Amino acid sequence: MRGLMQEWSLTVDRIIDHAARWDGKREVVTRALSGEIVRTDYAAMRERARRLSAALAARGIGRGDRVATMGWNSFRHVEAWFAIMGMGAVCHTLNPRLFREQIVYIANHAEDHAIIVDPCFQDLLADMLPALPRLGAIIVMGEASEVARDRLPGAVDYESVIAENHPEAAWGGFDEETACALCYTSGTTGNPKGVLYTHRSNVIHTLMTLQPDVFGLSIADVVMPIVPMYHANGWGLPLSAPAVGCKLVLPGSRLDGASLHDLCEREDVTFAAAVPTVWQALLQHLDDTGGRLTTLRRVLVGGAACPESIIRRLRDHGVESKQGWGMTETSPIGSHSKLLPEIAALPFDDQVPWRLKQGRPPFGVDLKIVDDTGNRQPHDGAALGRLHVKGPTVASAYLGGTPGDILDREGFFDTGDIADIDAEGYMRIADRAKDVIKSGGEWISSIEIENIALGHPKVALCAVIAIPDPKWDERPLLVVQLRDGETATASEMLGTLEGRIAKWWMPEGVVFVPEMPLGATGKIDKKRLRERFPAAF
């Protein structure tokens, strides 16, 4: 027997339709590339997105065609998302921080038909254009004066396209399993892989994020997604904010501590999301200037483990930080640091061990850890295993593959992370499988050592990598970038770890670098560090 509910496909166009209809005057604020503050609202964004859909259709884009975007977080970029997804095409977010060869590979593998690009990335696109034979229409997210026509022949400006087309383009009306968005893994090992989201998975992911123990957003919030929209769905916030109808603040390209602090205070931001390095830069700015955060109350820290020092320093400013774990293949929310009532009742210092973990899965996600033979490991907080994940927002194959071909016999996806899960259900990432240090047959968690070392007041960034050892196979090496103007010794750094980690975990040595290499998503690039320090210390 089938139920008797209305047919109502879960498609992304319904999110902006709802926002425009019921919260149409709610502000969407962007810091433009020029630094100017630009204001619009959800009703205007929806109309402009429909006009952009009509323009894409006039240029031959249809359902299933891939349309790339390459831009910072802005109102135009959000409009482009809804325009592409709403008409049934596939929104492919390109990461401009990748190497040129990787971007070319990704765009060709995706078979991108058109691209919508920020003015600041026109030179990058022009250099790659000869290697992108399938690419047709080029729309530059700006005014006519901002288009580099000498470098991009045939390119048109976004505002003219909006003005010249009608707002009645066909939206929706397709199955919720229709492909919706495409994002590629960073490709740290081998070629990047395409993760193809459906409308259904993106809408379900949006609903997951709105759970009180995940983002917990309400119409009273002012949300600032600092994480770029080209990074794993922008962690879902460009869809979550309009779903609840709250004010949305988009920081553009200016992600330094001073600019973010200014925007937070100027626009009364209450919730923001970014990787740890961004929060460190903001906190450093506050330390240097004596600044305060007067409206920000909650932040999501993702992309890498959140050090204890960031949790404590944000709390000093009245801000609660929560960790989120996920990956491109999980849309990306996989777990979130929510406190059980009995843990929340403890003094803050006693809560910290749980706050440092990557949290518990929200409804819609299931986790397990297994050994090398695929046998499940106990949830005792001690047994380590490969973390596997399952749910309606988890990939079953990569673009070009067959559904299910990256899943185990129980339908779980192997994340490549090494983790443990405790009796309360809290998952802790010990390391990426490729980063874990195997010393004398035992695993050493680089993340745990890094989190402690980062608490030293002189340390700006740090990383722990494996170096070869003739006796123990591998030993840890601590790599440190000091704060500007600071000096330190190796013994000083190691002293921070004394008594806080097992003696056999103690790094074999410490090296200081003037600048830590960062990858395309803002995380420390350990592959480059291993190439730089390949031999025994």
Side-chain angles (χ1 to χ4, degrees), residues 200-267:
R200 178 176 184 269
S201 71
N202 268 5
V203 172
I204 290 175
H205 185 267
T206 300
L207 297 176
M208 284 169 52
T209 67
L210 300 181
Q211 294 178 46
D213 286 323
V214 187
F215 295 171
L217 300 182
S218 81
I219 198 169
D221 276 306
V222 179
V223 172
M224 182 164 70
I226 303 170
V227 53
M229 290 170 63
Y230 54 73
H231 183 201
N233 273 335
W235 296 353
L237 284 167
L239 302 183
S240 303
V244 296
C246 67
K247 179 177 175 180
L248 179 62
V249 178
L250 301 156
S253 63
R254 301 191 182 191
L255 305 184
D256 59 282
S259 297
L260 292 175
H261 182 223
D262 172 72
L263 202 55
C264 274
E265 294 300 298
R266 183 196 298 260
E267 300 300 333

Side-chain angles (χ1 to χ4, degrees), residues 176-399:
E176 63 185 21
E177 293 288 359
T178 300
C180 174
L182 176 63
C183 186
Y184 277 70
T185 62
S186 57
T188 53
T189 56
N191 286 323
K193 304 177 183 68
V195 180
L196 188 61
Y197 310 104
T198 65
H199 279 264
R200 178 176 184 269
S201 71
N202 268 5
V203 172
I204 290 175
H205 185 267
T206 300
L207 297 176
M208 284 169 52
T209 67
L210 300 181
Q211 294 178 46
D213 286 323
V214 187
F215 295 171
L217 300 182
S218 81
I219 198 169
D221 276 306
V222 179
V223 172
M224 182 164 70
I226 303 170
V227 53
M229 290 170 63
Y230 54 73
H231 183 201
N233 273 335
W235 296 353
L237 284 167
L239 302 183
S240 303
V244 296
C246 67
K247 179 177 175 180
L248 179 62
V249 178
L250 301 156
S253 63
R254 301 191 182 191
L255 305 184
D256 59 282
S259 297
L260 292 175
H261 182 223
D262 172 72
L263 202 55
C264 274
E265 294 300 298
R266 183 196 298 260
E267 300 300 333
D268 298 327
V269 172
T270 63
F271 179 94
V275 297
T277 50
V278 167
W279 298 120
Q280 285 177 272
L282 175 60
L283 289 165
Q284 183 64 55
H285 167 75
L286 297 178
D287 290 346
D288 292 344
T289 62
R292 301 296 302 172
L293 295 167
T294 60
T295 63
L296 189 63
R297 291 293 173 261
R298 306 179 332 274
V299 303
L300 175 65
V301 187
C306 182
E308 183 176 342
S309 59
I310 290 181
I311 293 173
R312 290 187 178 276
R313 291 172 69 199
L314 283 169
R315 184 171 183 265
D316 290 341
H317 286 274
V319 179
E320 181 182 19
S321 58
K322 289 189 174 184
Q323 292 204 61
W325 168 84
M327 55 199 314
T328 305
E329 290 90 340
T330 63
S331 295
I333 295 296
S335 69
H336 201 267
S337 182
K338 53 186 174 184
L339 296 182
L340 296 176
E342 51 271 30
I343 295 173
L346 297 173
F348 182 80
D349 286 348
D350 294 335
Q351 297 174 13
V352 168
W354 283 278
R355 289 181 177 271
L356 287 171
K357 299 188 178 190
Q358 279 61 58
R360 307 172 86 239
F363 173 72
V365 176
D366 195 15
L367 304 175
K368 70 175 180 178
I369 51 174
V370 301
D371 62 19
D372 289 340
T373 61
N375 294 316
R376 289 185 181 240
Q377 296 291 86
H379 293 184
D380 59 8
L384 288 169
R386 296 183 72 94
L387 179 66
H388 286 57
V389 61
K390 181 179 184 178
T393 59
V394 180
S396 69
Y398 293 114
L399 184 64

Side-chain angles (χ1 to χ4, degrees), residues 414-437:
D414 184 348
T415 66
D417 284 322
I418 305 298
D420 62 52
I421 302 176
D422 67 21
E424 288 78 27
Y426 285 85
M427 184 269 292
R428 179 187 69 93
I429 300 291
D431 235 324
R432 290 290 293 166
K434 64 179 183 292
D435 292 334
V436 71
I437 301 166

